[in-house]
Amino acid sequence: MSELHRIQPHTQLNLSAISADGKTYYEGKRKEAEASFKANRKELAEWQNRWYAEGKRKLLIVFQALDAGGKDGTIRRVFSGINPQGVRVASFKAPTKEELDHDYLWRIHKVVPAKGMIAVFNRSHYEDVLVVRVHDIVPEAVWRPRFEQINQFEKLLADTGTTIIKFYLHISKDEQAERFQERLDDPAKHWKFDPEDLEKRAYWDDYLAAFEEAISRCSTSYAPWYVIPANQNWYRNWAISQILVDTMRELNPQYPQSDIDPTQFTIV
Amino acid sequence: MSELHRIQPHTQLNLSAISADGKTYYEGKRKEAEASFKANRKELAEWQNRWYAEGKRKLLIVFQALDAGGKDGTIRRVFSGINPQGVRVASFKAPTKEELDHDYLWRIHKVVPAKGMIAVFNRSHYEDVLVVRVHDIVPEAVWRPRFEQINQFEKLLADTGTTIIKFYLHISKDEQAERFQERLDDPAKHWKFDPEDLEKRAYWDDYLAAFEEAISRCSTSYAPWYVIPANQNWYRNWAISQILVDTMRELNPQYPQSDIDPTQFTIV
């Protein structure tokens, strides 16, 4: 699974050539994938306990997607069940005045994970080569050097004990239309509908091009990007949980050893 | 349940007179309490979704206890299942140099919940009238005014949209001994054993007196303390989940209303 969706460094990514349909990659039954997802979630909860108890390393998980791509739903579904004491979700909205008065990595650096912690980024520093680029918020001379700056920043984190995993939730343009339509059709979902999302949809190709370059330039050995087919939530959740479980198995965190001599202590 | 364990303002609390044994308060079967706990946890997850979507109010939940009182276990058991995007756990350890260079509420204020969020405090500003008092870290002339300062601080939070619930996990001295002994007997739990905990146990009565005064002085209408019998984890988890569910039912958060006219939008 990890191999299947990982983008190798120096790939020229073409997102239109990658199916957003989970069924392309999986011939089994949906129910089996759902059962496997639940088992993965349980296993993740146990790994997280060990990760926190070990307290030595850091895990950073980044989610990026177009609107309605499923970032919130993924975080809710994949990370519910994990002890929130060891997980911190950071959601990056439009930067504040204070954040804009600093470099774009300033607000990111403040919330990278501490030892034993898992940080989950709902959007991230990648917005600064995506939305910023598509809508000409800063000139190319400013955003283009960011690919290399981001790589250097992520390398610093990796070199200092952080495992980094980045997920792009890949939905098709038709699937986005369906999700927006659902929000319009169901009065209970009206609050999720933002007219601005339609304006951004008009830039679909530009966003895809921006994602393609960002992922191509910044999928590195120390901070790989995964392109997750996300038209079906069940496949998306399962694939992501499997990649996280695979990662944890490899990292194999352990409860700390202690060299206390229990016979030395008497409880009165 | 909420009434049963809530400490009324101006109570002269005597913790030794309050049973730490959940069975004192519950005649049913443990299995029933566990089933009810699971149902509560599900209900809480749904309330939290609404709380986050509503995005208007704030919820602060404080946990305090003596060592081995079960703070970590409570947080893991009660809040796993909730979307971590809407929950932030803050664990307060011994203050850093920078924190000590500020007033004791400075580090607390930085992490109070934002709109739509739930903040869970594992220890809190109450340490500054507990450990600090018992071990004479600051003189009485410094810590005594803190009761009133804490009340004013909590009132500020309440007046500005924060619901505050504070739990003291009440275990007996015998139960603490058993839990420490377990950590000594089981090699897999040695890492949880801290010889310092035994030193603090020698101050049991002083800690209890400090808790009694803190809870008596700072259980207010706007930020009540609950004393939860915590010798049995199953009762503790169930009681806390029930109080949280009761609170949420009363607060009754709602998904936002939206006045968009869906016929005005066409998705192309």
Side-chain angles (χ1 to χ4, degrees), chain B residues 92-180:
Chain B
F92 295 98
K93 323 252 166 181
T96 64
K97 171 82 170 64
E98 189 188 21
E99 288 168 351
L100 285 172
D101 284 348
H102 293 81
D103 71 85
Y104 66 103
L105 292 172
W106 179 75
R107 64 172 182 166
I108 307 293
H109 213 153
K110 283 208 281 187
V111 290
V112 298
K115 284 180 180 178
M117 294 293 293
I118 298 174
V120 177
F121 283 3
N122 186 340
R123 305 186 189 268
S124 67
H125 42 301
Y126 283 94
E127 292 295 328
D128 293 291
V129 289
L130 294 167
V131 62
V132 155
R133 167 183 182 168
V134 170
H135 299 288
D136 278 328
I137 295 171
V138 304
E140 179 164 357
V142 172
W143 61 253
R144 186 154 289 285
R146 288 181 176 170
F147 297 125
E148 184 53 24
Q149 290 161 0
I150 287 174
N151 284 343
Q152 291 307 323
F153 173 67
E154 292 179 353
K155 184 151 197 319
L156 166 75
L157 299 183
D159 285 349
T160 50
T162 310
T163 297
I164 305 172
I165 304 175
K166 298 174 293 191
F167 293 109
Y168 169 64
L169 308 180
H170 182 39
I171 60 168
S172 64
K173 199 171 177 186
D174 286 350
E175 178 65 24
Q176 190 191 52
E178 265 183 55
R179 293 182 183 192
F180 284 164

Side-chain angles (χ1 to χ4, degrees), chain A residues 72 85 88-89 122 201 268, chain B residues 72 85 88-89 201 268:
Chain A
D72 291 294
Q85 182 152 307
R88 190 144 300 185
V89 181
N122 187 339
R201 179 174 166 80
V268 286
Chain B
D72 291 293
Q85 182 153 308
R88 189 145 299 185
V89 180
R201 179 173 166 82
V268 285

Side-chain angles (χ1 to χ4, degrees), chain B residues 72-84:
Chain B
D72 291 293
T74 302
I75 292 169
R76 187 179 73 247
R77 295 280 287 138
V78 174
F79 296 97
S80 292
I82 288 187
N83 184 354

Side-chain angles (χ1 to χ4, degrees), chain A:
Chain A
M1 181 72 79
S2 296
E3 288 307 313
L4 182 60
H5 298 305
R6 187 191 294 135
I7 304 304
Q8 295 304 323
H10 314 297
T11 305
Q12 270 308 101
L13 186 65
N14 176 3
L15 282 171
S16 328
I18 296 181
S19 170
D21 195 331
K23 284 179 272 184
T24 315
Y25 306 88
Y26 178 66
E27 290 185 344
K29 287 182 184 154
R30 173 176 166 170
K31 282 213 166 166
E32 288 161 6
E34 285 170 343
S36 171
F37 167 59
K38 279 192 185 162
N40 282 343
R41 214 160 59 158
K42 262 201 166 154
E43 188 176 331
L44 265 184
E46 173 55 22
W47 283 121
Q48 185 276 327
N49 272 341
R50 288 171 182 251
W51 188 257
Y52 187 78
E54 185 187 78
K56 287 189 183 160
R57 294 176 282 177
K58 309 129 181 182
L59 179 59
L60 171 59
I61 304 166
V62 171
F63 289 101
Q64 288 283 167
L66 288 163
D67 293 317
K71 296 184 299 296
D72 291 294
T74 302
I75 292 170
R76 187 178 74 246
R77 295 278 287 136
V78 174
F79 295 98
S80 293
I82 287 188
N83 185 353
Q85 182 152 307
V87 179
R88 190 144 300 185
V89 181
S91 299
F92 296 97
K93 322 250 168 185
T96 64
K97 170 81 169 68
E98 189 189 21
E99 287 168 350
L100 285 172
D101 284 348
H102 293 81
D103 71 86
Y104 67 102
L105 292 172
W106 179 75
R107 65 174 183 165
I108 307 292
H109 213 154
K110 284 208 280 188
V111 291
V112 298
K115 283 179 180 180
M117 295 292 294
I118 298 173
V120 177
F121 283 3
N122 187 339
R123 303 183 189 267
S124 67
H125 42 301
Y126 283 93
E127 292 296 328
D128 293 290
V129 289
L130 294 166
V131 62
V132 155
R133 167 183 182 169
V134 171
H135 300 287
D136 277 327
I137 296 171
V138 303
E140 179 165 356
V142 172
W143 61 254
R144 186 153 289 284
R146 287 181 176 170
F147 296 125
E148 184 54 22
Q149 290 161 0
I150 288 174
N151 286 341
Q152 291 306 325
F153 173 66
E154 292 180 352
K155 185 151 197 318
L156 166 76
L157 299 182
D159 284 348
T160 52
T162 310
T163 297
I164 305 171
I165 305 175
K166 299 174 293 192
F167 293 109
Y168 170 64
L169 308 180
H170 182 39
I171 60 169
S172 64
K173 198 171 178 186
D174 285 349
E175 178 64 23
Q176 190 191 51
E178 266 184 51
R179 294 182 182 192
F180 283 164
Q181 195 60 54
E182 245 178 72
R183 295 176 182 180
L184 287 174
D185 291 346
D186 181 352
K189 289 186 177 170
H190 280 179
W191 64 276
K192 288 190 181 182
F193 183 81
D194 182 352
E196 241 184 49
D197 290 349
L198 289 190
E199 290 164 34
K200 281 198 265 169
R201 179 174 166 80
Y203 291 87
W204 181 272
D205 292 340
D206 294 337
Y207 268 105
L208 239 53
F211 266 112
E212 281 167 350
E213 187 165 10
I215 294 172
S216 296
R217 295 284 306 270
C218 300
S219 197
T220 56
S221 56
Y222 49 86
W225 271 104
Y226 294 84
V227 172
I228 304 294
N231 275 3
Q232 288 88 13
N233 295 351
W234 60 266
Y235 183 83
R236 173 200 76 194
N237 295 341
W238 176 51
I240 288 170
S241 71
Q242 192 59 53
I243 290 166
L244 294 178
V245 159
D246 288 349
T247 303
M248 276 298 195
R249 284 181 187 165
E250 208 181 303
L251 292 167
N252 196 22
Q254 297 296 321
Y255 290 108
Q257 295 293 318
S258 165
D259 47 8
I260 62 155
D261 173 6
T263 62
Q264 282 204 322
F265 300 99
T266 314
I267 298 161
V268 286

Side-chain angles (χ1 to χ4, degrees), chain B residues 15-244:
Chain B
L15 283 172
S16 329
I18 296 180
S19 171
D21 195 330
K23 284 178 272 184
T24 314
Y25 306 88
Y26 178 67
E27 292 183 345
K29 286 181 185 154
R30 173 176 165 170
K31 282 215 166 167
E32 288 162 6
E34 284 171 343
S36 171
F37 166 58
K38 278 192 185 162
N40 283 343
R41 214 159 60 157
K42 261 201 168 154
E43 188 175 331
L44 266 184
E46 172 56 22
W47 283 121
Q48 184 275 327
N49 271 341
R50 288 171 183 251
W51 188 257
Y52 187 79
E54 185 186 78
K56 287 189 182 161
R57 294 176 283 176
K58 308 129 181 181
L59 178 60
L60 171 59
I61 304 167
V62 172
F63 289 101
Q64 287 283 168
L66 287 162
D67 293 315
K71 297 184 298 297
D72 291 293
T74 302
I75 292 169
R76 187 179 73 247
R77 295 280 287 138
V78 174
F79 296 97
S80 292
I82 288 187
N83 184 354
Q85 182 153 308
V87 179
R88 189 145 299 185
V89 180
S91 298
F92 295 98
K93 323 252 166 181
T96 64
K97 171 82 170 64
E98 189 188 21
E99 288 168 351
L100 285 172
D101 284 348
H102 293 81
D103 71 85
Y104 66 103
L105 292 172
W106 179 75
R107 64 172 182 166
I108 307 293
H109 213 153
K110 283 208 281 187
V111 290
V112 298
K115 284 180 180 178
M117 294 293 293
I118 298 174
V120 177
F121 283 3
N122 186 340
R123 305 186 189 268
S124 67
H125 42 301
Y126 283 94
E127 292 295 328
D128 293 291
V129 289
L130 294 167
V131 62
V132 155
R133 167 183 182 168
V134 170
H135 299 288
D136 278 328
I137 295 171
V138 304
E140 179 164 357
V142 172
W143 61 253
R144 186 154 289 285
R146 288 181 176 170
F147 297 125
E148 184 53 24
Q149 290 161 0
I150 287 174
N151 284 343
Q152 291 307 323
F153 173 67
E154 292 179 353
K155 184 151 197 319
L156 166 75
L157 299 183
D159 285 349
T160 50
T162 310
T163 297
I164 305 172
I165 304 175
K166 298 174 293 191
F167 293 109
Y168 169 64
L169 308 180
H170 182 39
I171 60 168
S172 64
K173 199 171 177 186
D174 286 350
E175 178 65 24
Q176 190 191 52
E178 265 183 55
R179 293 182 183 192
F180 284 164
Q181 195 61 53
E182 244 178 71
R183 294 176 183 181
L184 286 173
D185 292 346
D186 181 352
K189 289 186 177 169
H190 280 179
W191 65 275
K192 288 189 180 180
F193 183 81
D194 182 351
E196 242 184 47
D197 291 349
L198 289 189
E199 290 164 33
K200 282 200 262 168
R201 179 173 166 82
Y203 292 88
W204 181 273
D205 292 339
D206 295 336
Y207 269 105
L208 238 53
F211 266 111
E212 282 168 348
E213 188 165 9
I215 294 172
S216 297
R217 295 284 305 273
C218 300
S219 198
T220 56
S221 56
Y222 49 87
W225 270 104
Y226 294 84
V227 172
I228 303 295
N231 276 4
Q232 288 87 12
N233 296 352
W234 60 266
Y235 183 85
R236 173 199 77 194
N237 295 342
W238 176 52
I240 289 170
S241 70
Q242 192 60 52
I243 291 165
L244 294 178

